[in-house]
């Protein structure tokens, strides 16, 4: 490891030379009775308010998630009062309460709750994947959907459906989505690198090309698919949680939990990587190994989400950036906070998709794109203004 010059501070600025003592004695401009050699009183650490804001925001997100889960479980074509929802959950957990009538119990536990749990898992996966992507690529415009990872994973899932692949049983679609998502993210990463850094414009243009190519492959699969397969493929393209079941929850649960458990372990290394590749290496970070590990985690989280919910874009872009604006860029909060925020956003989005146009249901992927696209446009122009153009 190359030794760091002692004349350079960690912030990259050379320290000011020590002030020589005045030959005529103490400086008369200084007030008497004060120890001029004592250190100045340190200012309040700028991280303290951010830590307080992070704790407050975490509690607010948890409360919002619990409230949304309870509301989503009760609201629908078959209304279930909030008290009955709580009583049924307590009864199932052995904490008292009481069972509901047969129809209400069936609606709650076979239709509503699997959908709520799936929305939480998918939202947490997409939010966490977005935070990791932005940390790995070093810019706030990276997101699995924007740069084509979601579309690539969808190609794997759609291909498995259209070709009738069942070599891994219920895991076949998830496995194919994971492999396709991994290939896509490695391709985007390789093509967006230039001169040892990731270029924002190249990243976005590569994502446009990958999304177009993935759309062409999906169209090709539709051409050769039968009517039943076309219905399933349409589900992947629009994104929805309408077909949520407990088996689908169990299929995505291991992938989502594994990715969500591994991601926060690399938060400190992502903070060091934000200083630049060379300083991170001097501080002991194996940059390439870190990138490979996190790219695998992103592919796993994205594949898990796409395999059960289809293409849902902009969650991984919007949530981490808003949390970064509120509580700063520290990944110790940003990575788990983005998972929590993504769960809240998707739970709220799914509730809106079910109720806004009732009795019809809006595609969830369409709804997130309607709100996420203007935000992405604003973020793109804001980043461009700060950098003074792309040239």
């Amino acid at each position: 490891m190359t030794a760091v010059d002692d004349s350079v501070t960690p912030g990259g600025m050379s320290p000011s030379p020590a002030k020589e003592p005045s030959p005529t004695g103490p400086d008369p401009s200084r007030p008497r009775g004060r120890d001029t050699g004592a250190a100045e009183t340190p200012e309040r650490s700028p991280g303290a308010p951010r830590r307080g804001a992070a704790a407050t925001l975490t509690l607010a997100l948890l409360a919002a998630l619990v409230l949304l889960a309870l509301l989503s479980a009760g609201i629908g074509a078959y209304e279930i009062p909030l008290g009955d929802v709580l009583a049924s959950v307590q009864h199932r957990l052995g904490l008292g309460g009481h069972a509901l009538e047969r129809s209400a119990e069936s609606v709650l536990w076979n239709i509503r709750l699997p959908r709520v749990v799936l929305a939480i898992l998918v939202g947490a996966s997409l939010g966490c994947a977005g935070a990791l992507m932005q940390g790995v690529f070093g810019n706030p415009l990276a997101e699995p959907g924007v740069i084509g990872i979601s579309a690539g994973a969808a190609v794997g899932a759609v291909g498995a459906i259209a070709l009738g692949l069942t070599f891994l049983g219920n895991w076949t679609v998830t496995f194919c989505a994971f492999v396709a998502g991994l290939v896509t993210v490695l391709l985007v990463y390789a093509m967006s690198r230039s001169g040892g850094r990731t270029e924002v414009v190249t990243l976005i243009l590569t994502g446009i090309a990958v999304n177009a190519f993935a759309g062409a492959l999906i169209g090709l699969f539709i051409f050769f698919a039968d009517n039943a397969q076309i219905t399933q493929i349409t589900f992947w393209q629009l994104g929805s949680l309408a077909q949520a079941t407990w088996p689908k929850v169990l299929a995505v649960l291991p992938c989502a939990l594994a990715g969500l458990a591994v991601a926060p372990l690399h938060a400190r290394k992502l903070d060091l990587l934000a200083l630049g590749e060379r300083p991170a290496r001097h501080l002991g970070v194996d940059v390439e190994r870190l990138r490979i590990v996190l790219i695998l985690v992103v592919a796993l989280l994205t594949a898990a989400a796409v395999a059960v919910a289809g293409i849902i874009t902009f969650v991984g872009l919007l949530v981490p950036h808003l949390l970064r604006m509120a509580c700063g860029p520290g990944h110790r909060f940003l990575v788990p906070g983005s998972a929590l925020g993504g769960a809240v956003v998707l739970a709220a989005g799914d509730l809106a998709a079910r109720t806004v146009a009732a009795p019809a249901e809006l595609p969830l992927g369409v709804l997130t794109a309607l709100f996420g696209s203007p935000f992405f446009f604003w973020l793109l122009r804001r980043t461009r203004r700060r950098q003074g153009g792309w040239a």
Side-chain angles (χ1 to χ4, degrees), residues 311-344:
I311 302 176
I312 299 176
T313 56
F314 293 108
V315 174
L317 172 70
L318 186 146
V319 173
H321 193 75
L322 290 178
L323 294 182
R324 190 180 293 109
M325 292 172 64
C327 298
H331 289 86
R332 185 177 180 181
F333 164 75
L334 189 61
V335 172
S338 296
L340 185 58
V344 170

Side-chain angles (χ1 to χ4, degrees), residues 334-363:
L334 189 61
V335 172
S338 296
L340 185 58
V344 170
V345 167
L346 210 63
D350 185 56
L351 179 59
R354 291 194 296 110
T355 58
V356 168
E361 181 174 324
L362 294 175

Side-chain angles (χ1 to χ4, degrees), residues 27 33 70 169 183 188 239 268 278 280 285 326 339 346 357-358 371 377:
D27 187 355
L70 294 174
V183 171
V188 170
R268 181 177 177 275
R278 183 174 297 177
V285 178
L346 210 63
F371 286 94
F377 178 72

Side-chain angles (χ1 to χ4, degrees), residues 291-316:
R291 282 202 171 104
I292 291 174
V293 170
L294 293 184
I295 284 173
L296 288 172
V297 173
V298 168
L300 182 65
L301 291 171
T302 305
V306 171
V308 296
I311 302 176
I312 299 176
T313 56
F314 293 108
V315 174

